[in-house]
Amino acid sequence: MASLDFEQEKAIFNKYYESNHKQFIAAKDAYLGMIRTLIRQSDVGEVTKIEGRVKDKEECIKKFQRKYQSKLEADEQPYEIKDFISDLVGIRVVCLYEDEVPAVSALLQRHYRILNVTDKTSAVESTEDSFGYKGLHMDLALDPQAPCLTKNLPPMEISFEVQIRSLIQDAWSRLDHKIKYKKSIPVDLKRRINVLSALFELADREFKEIRNATSDLMQQATDTQISEPADGVPELPGQAVSPGSKTVNAFNFLPIAGHFFRDFSFEDQKVDDFVQDILEQDSTFQKADLHRCLNENLKVVRQYSDHVIAENPNRTFSAYSLIRYCLYLYDQEKFERILSRRNSERFSQWLKAHRSAQAVTSAEGTS
C-alpha cells in the first residue's frame, strides 16, 4: 500500500529488491539476448558494444530521493519507490558513429512498447552550454505483439532502460562522471571542461564525415568498371591509360586488382598496407601503371607460379604475391625490393630459361 512514509517505503523497496534480485539479473540477460539478436539481424550500422546491468539497490533509492521524493511529498501524493525506478534493468548500446544512434532507436521502437524517450543530445545542443552528456535514453517494456518475442522471455514483466550512444559519447560520459561537483566548480575549470566537451563533439562529427568521404571514394572506385579496348590494355571508361592518371591508392586498387583476381577476397587492412608498400618503392606509381603491369605480366607470372607449385606442391601464391612478381617484372629497378632477394634471384633464373625456350620455339616456327 503506497504511503508518504519514506522509511517505510524504503524498507518495502529493499525487501522487493532483495527477493527479486535473481529475477532482475535474468531479465537483464534476456533483454540483452533479444536486443543483440535484433541488432545482429538488422542493418543499423556498426554497433561496437551491447552491455547490461542491474542498478544497485542504494543507487535506486538515491535516485528516487534526488528526483522524486520532495515533489511527491510536497503534493502529498503517496508513492511506492519501485514505481519510479525505470532503469532498474539497464542496457547500453554503443554505436561507432553518432548518426547510427537514431537507427538503433527506430529498430527498438518497432519491437518494444515505448514508455519514455529522453534525447539528451538535443537537450545539450539546444543550449549555449556544451557542458553535458550526450546520448539517447529510452524506457521500454515488452510488447505482446512484437515479432522479437522468443521463448527466452524474462522471468518477470519489468520495464528497462536502453541508453544508446556513439563511441565518442560513451567515452565522454565515462570521463564526465568522474568530474565531481560539476555545478560548483570555478568558472575557469568549467570553461576548460566545455572546451574538452566541444573537442569530443567535433571528433564525433569528423569521424562521421571521414567515414562518409571514405565510403564515397569506395563507391566511386566500385562504380568504375574496367573495359578492354582494342589494344588489350584495360582502362577506365572515359579515361585513357596514361602517365597522367591518378596515383594508385587503396580505393582505386580494389577494382583493378578485383578485375584480374575475381575469386580472391581482398581485405581492407591488407590492401592499405600493400598499397603503401608499392608507394614506398615508387611514390608516383599510377593506377594506369597497375593496369598495364598486370595486363602485360600476369600471364608470365602465373606460368612461373605453376612451375614452382609443380616442383613444390606445398607452395602457394596469393594474389598479393602474384602482383609483387608482376611489379618486379614491370620495373625491376624501381621494384627491386618488392621481392625478397632469394625470390627475385629464382624468378630471374626462371625468366632467363623461359625466354630462351621461347626464343627457340619461335626460331623453330619460322624455319
Side-chain angles (χ1 to χ4, degrees), residues 1-162:
M1 185 72 176
S3 73
L4 286 169
D5 187 334
F6 174 71
E7 292 302 324
Q8 175 182 313
E9 293 304 322
K10 178 180 176 181
I12 292 173
F13 178 78
N14 284 339
K15 184 177 180 180
Y16 163 77
Y17 186 97
E18 290 166 4
S19 61
N20 291 286
H21 188 251
K22 289 184 179 179
Q23 290 181 302
F24 297 155
I25 294 175
K28 178 260 296 181
D29 292 339
Y31 288 134
L32 267 177
M34 295 166 70
I35 291 174
R36 281 172 175 157
T37 298
L38 278 175
I39 290 177
R40 184 173 61 249
Q41 294 176 348
S42 65
D43 183 22
V44 294
E46 299 181 65
V47 172
T48 65
K49 185 193 304 179
I50 306 174
E51 58 187 7
R53 61 100 181 98
V54 174
K55 198 176 189 73
D56 179 77
K57 177 176 60 178
E58 296 303 321
E59 287 299 317
C60 291
I61 295 173
K62 288 179 181 178
K63 178 179 180 179
F64 173 80
Q65 288 181 289
R66 184 175 66 254
K67 296 187 67 175
Y68 305 108
Q69 182 183 359
S70 297
K71 186 177 188 308
L72 290 168
E73 293 180 353
D75 294 342
E76 295 186 354
Q77 180 180 339
Y79 56 79
E80 291 184 63
I81 293 176
K82 67 180 179 66
D83 294 337
F84 294 86
I85 309 300
S86 60
D87 63 342
L88 200 153
V89 171
I91 307 295
R92 179 176 298 144
V93 180
V94 180
C95 306
L96 192 56
Y97 301 101
E98 63 175 345
D99 61 351
E100 294 167 343
V101 171
V104 174
S105 172
L107 173 69
L108 297 181
Q109 291 187 48
R110 290 197 299 270
H111 291 86
Y112 292 95
R113 186 160 52 92
I114 308 301
L115 304 179
N116 186 47
V117 177
T118 304
D119 188 348
K120 294 181 179 288
T121 298
S122 296
V124 169
E125 291 180 346
S126 64
T127 67
E128 295 181 1
D129 186 359
S130 62
F131 181 27
Y133 157 74
K134 287 186 172 186
L136 185 68
H137 291 195
M138 305 169 64
D139 294 335
L140 306 175
L142 287 175
D143 181 353
Q145 306 301 320
C148 73
L149 294 184
T150 65
K151 295 180 180 179
N152 298 319
L153 293 176
M156 62 186 299
E157 188 171 341
I158 181 173
S159 62
F160 62 104
E161 181 192 66
V162 177

Side-chain angles (χ1 to χ4, degrees), residues 21-22 52 101 181 183 234 239 270:
H21 188 251
K22 289 184 179 179
V101 171
Y181 314 116
K183 293 182 180 179
Q239 181 178 19
K270 290 184 178 179

